[in-house]
Amino acid sequence: METTFSPVLTVCGIEELPGQSSRNVTHVLSIVDPELPELEAFGAYGEHHRTTLRFHDIIAAAPNRVMPRPDHVEAILRFGTDFLIRQDREAASHVLVHCHMGVSRSTAAMLTLMAQANPDEPGESLFARLAAIRPQAWPNSQMIGFADEQLGRRGDLTAALARHYGRQIKSRPEFTEWMTTLGRDAELQMAIHD
């Protein structure tokens, strides 16, 4: 669907939310841990559409933790569909996606939304745009896998994610230790180093 104005796209973490309140955010996708209370930061925002999803940022099942599931990605795609068919397509819009740190769940969700809105754009190009929006992006591989399948991308997003991980490890070596500590070794092993 063509729009006259391209939406502003923002990814951030919870601590950055207050700083976004004056940026005319029109649509918010909030991804938080299930046990987190309602966030007060949105009280300072103007009128906006918001969807909240609750699951943990993990890639393997763990006790008392909620894994990302296909239905979570379906909800992200519904959010995207609602945005794409909104009545005010000609109006300026600003989509903000956040999770706890603005690194993994939110960047996976933003990549999913970008892929949905641009079905012919190669995964490699989408990840380059994501890195421009959020340089520290390390998208959750489970979510990207579900998005790849649900969008009929035939592995394009997953392959591009592996190359993205390789670039991130090269430019941000601290990611290797960080992801190891978080039990995300499978993502480190996915990385393709160019």
Side-chain angles (χ1 to χ4, degrees):
M1 288 174 220
E2 289 298 313
T3 56
T4 305
F5 300 103
S6 293
V8 174
L9 303 177
T10 300
V11 174
C12 72
I14 290 173
E15 289 185 3
E16 299 164 88
L17 287 173
Q20 302 293 330
S21 65
S22 64
R23 297 191 60 217
N24 300 320
V25 173
T26 59
H27 296 76
V28 175
L29 180 58
S30 189
I31 305 175
V32 293
D33 293 349
E35 63 276 8
L36 197 73
E38 189 64 29
L39 298 172
E40 295 178 11
F42 295 116
Y45 282 48
E47 185 180 338
H48 64 279
H49 304 279
R50 181 163 26 119
T51 295
T52 301
L53 300 177
R54 293 181 172 274
F55 56 91
H56 292 104
D57 185 25
I58 55 177
I59 62 168
N64 303 313
R65 309 281 279 170
V66 179
M67 281 277 293
R69 298 184 310 256
D71 62 293
H72 293 131
V73 173
E74 288 166 10
I76 292 166
L77 292 171
R78 274 195 304 278
F79 173 89
T81 298
D82 290 347
F83 176 77
L84 292 170
I85 63 171
R86 68 199 187 283
Q87 296 300 311
D88 58 344
R89 281 198 299 274
E90 301 301 311
S93 55
H94 182 166
V95 177
L96 182 146
V97 181
H98 85 88
C99 61
H100 193 83
M101 299 290 293
V103 173
S104 185
R105 290 169 290 182
S106 56
T107 60
M110 181 61 81
L111 193 282
T112 299
L113 294 170
M114 292 164 58
Q116 178 186 33
N118 303 282
D120 298 325
E121 186 172 351
E124 199 65 30
S125 171
L126 290 167
F127 275 95
R129 290 204 293 134
L130 178 67
I133 294 167
R134 192 69 169 173
Q136 64 269 50
W138 186 276
N140 181 293
S141 60
Q142 292 289 302
M143 294 173 66
I144 295 296
F146 297 142
D148 206 333
E149 186 175 317
Q150 291 176 28
L151 291 169
R153 287 294 193 125
R154 297 191 170 107
D156 175 54
L157 297 182
T158 302
L161 175 65
R163 291 188 294 275
H164 173 79
Y165 284 162
R167 288 189 296 273
Q168 290 296 66
I169 290 168
K170 186 175 181 181
S171 66
R172 297 168 180 266
E174 67 274 14
F175 268 122
T176 301
E177 184 180 341
W178 191 16
M179 292 304 145
T180 300
T181 302
L182 293 173
R184 308 273 288 259
D185 292 313
E187 291 175 339
L188 294 170
Q189 291 166 13
M190 278 178 68
I192 294 174
H193 304 276
D194 296 325

